[in-house]
Amino acid sequence: MYQEILFYVLLVLVAFLYSSVGHGGASGYLALMAFFSFAPETMRSTALLLNIFVSLIAFIQYYRGGFFKWNLFWPFALASFPAAFIGGMITVDVGLYKKILAVLLLFSVVKLLGIKFKTATFDIRQNVFLALLIGAFIGLFSGMIGIGGGIILTPIILLMHWADMKKTAAVSSLFIFVNSIAGFAGLFTKGFEFKTEMGWMIVLALIGGIAGSYFGANKFKSDFLNKLLAIVLIIASIKLIFT
C-alpha cells in the first residue's frame, strides 16, 4: 500500500518536472515503473499513453503564452511521425543505443549549463534538410524505446541556437505529442490492453502536468528552466544507463 502511494506521488512529481520544460515525461515514467517492478510488456505502452496527455497539456500552456513557432516545428514532425510509427512496431535489443544516448545527453547537460541566456543569440533560422534528418532519427529511436523524443530534440534546438528555452519547450511539447501518438499507434498494431491503474496514472500525471506546464510557461524564467532541463536530462541519462 505504501509503495503504491509513493509511486503515485513520484508520478505527479515527474510529470510536474518534465512538463515545466515542455516534456511529456516518458523517460521518467519508464524509470519509475522499472524501479517499482512493473511488467516490462506494459511499460512502453503506459509511458507513451501518459506522454500523450502530459505533452498536450504542456503544449497548450506554452502555446497560450505565445511561444510556439510553426516554422521550427514542422520539419521535425514531418519526418518523425512515420519514423516513430515504424519504430513502435520494431522489437529489438536497444541496450547499446540507450547507453550511447545517455552519454550524449550528459554531454548536452554540460553544454547547456554553459549557455548564458542573456547574451546568447537565438532564433537562428534552422536548416530544413538537417531538421528533417534529425526528426527521422529521433522518431525511429523514440518509437523503439517508448519515449516522445523531447530529451533528444530539446538540447539539439538549444545548442543549435534555433530558439530560446521557452520557444523550444513549446515546439518540443507538440513534437512529443505527435511522436507519442505515432509510437503508440505502432504498438497498438501488436495489441494493447487498457488496465484500470492506467486511468489513475493518467489523472495524476495530468495534475502534475497542468501545474508544471503552467509554472514553466508563465512563472519560471528561462535560466531557471535551463537548470530544470539539465536535471531532467540527468535523470533520463541515469535511467537509460541502469535500466
Side-chain angles (χ1 to χ4, degrees):
M1 180 64 180
Y2 292 110
Q3 282 193 338
E4 186 176 354
I5 294 174
L6 178 60
F7 170 79
Y8 286 133
V9 170
L10 291 175
L11 179 69
V12 174
L13 180 61
V14 167
F16 178 91
L17 179 62
Y18 276 71
S19 63
S20 68
V21 293
H23 288 194
S27 59
Y29 307 139
L30 286 169
L32 267 183
M33 287 185 283
F35 183 79
F36 283 89
S37 303
F38 275 59
E41 61 270 16
T42 66
M43 287 173 56
R44 185 159 59 142
S45 58
T46 302
L48 285 172
L49 190 61
L50 296 176
N51 234 27
I52 290 170
F53 286 94
V54 176
S55 61
L56 178 60
I57 291 296
F59 170 70
I60 290 172
Q61 291 285 8
Y62 276 97
Y63 181 82
R64 286 177 174 174
F67 300 111
F68 180 68
K69 292 179 61 180
W70 171 256
N71 289 338
L72 179 62
F73 166 76
W74 75 261
F76 297 117
L78 182 65
S80 178
F81 189 86
F85 179 80
I86 294 170
M89 294 188 293
I90 297 175
T91 302
V92 294
D93 180 8
V94 295
L96 177 61
Y97 297 101
K98 290 165 69 176
K99 302 298 185 294
I100 294 173
L101 176 58
V103 173
L104 292 175
L105 290 179
L106 289 175
F107 174 77
S108 295
V109 169
V110 175
K111 297 290 289 183
L112 286 171
L113 289 179
I115 290 179
K116 303 299 182 183
F117 278 87
K118 293 182 180 179
T119 58
T121 300
F122 288 97
D123 292 322
I124 296 175
R125 185 179 180 87
Q126 88 266 36
N127 183 306
V128 173
F129 179 71
L130 179 58
L132 288 167
L133 288 178
I134 291 171
F137 168 77
I138 295 175
L140 183 65
F141 192 86
S142 300
M144 288 168 57
I145 65 175
I147 61 175
I151 58 172
I152 311 173
L153 180 63
T154 298
I156 288 176
I157 294 177
L158 289 172
L159 294 174
M160 296 295 288
H161 289 238
W162 287 340
D164 63 20
M165 185 62 227
K166 291 200 175 186
K167 291 175 183 175
T168 298
V171 168
S172 293
S173 58
L174 186 58
F175 177 83
I176 293 167
F177 175 71
V178 171
N179 244 13
S180 298
I181 288 178
F184 187 79
L187 280 175
F188 195 80
T189 62
K190 301 171 64 177
F192 169 74
E193 180 184 357
F194 186 85
K195 298 182 179 180
T196 304
E197 57 265 29
M198 290 182 184
W200 287 111
M201 291 171 69
I202 290 172
V203 171
L204 293 172
L206 279 174
I207 292 172
I210 290 171
S213 58
Y214 171 78
F215 279 94
N218 302 295
K219 301 296 181 181
F220 295 155
K221 295 182 179 180
S222 289
D223 56 349
F224 180 68
L225 287 175
N226 194 38
K227 292 181 175 62
L228 281 182
L229 175 61
I231 293 172
V232 167
L233 294 180
I234 290 171
I235 293 172
S237 297
I238 293 172
K239 180 264 169 189
L240 288 167
I241 291 172
F242 293 106
T243 61

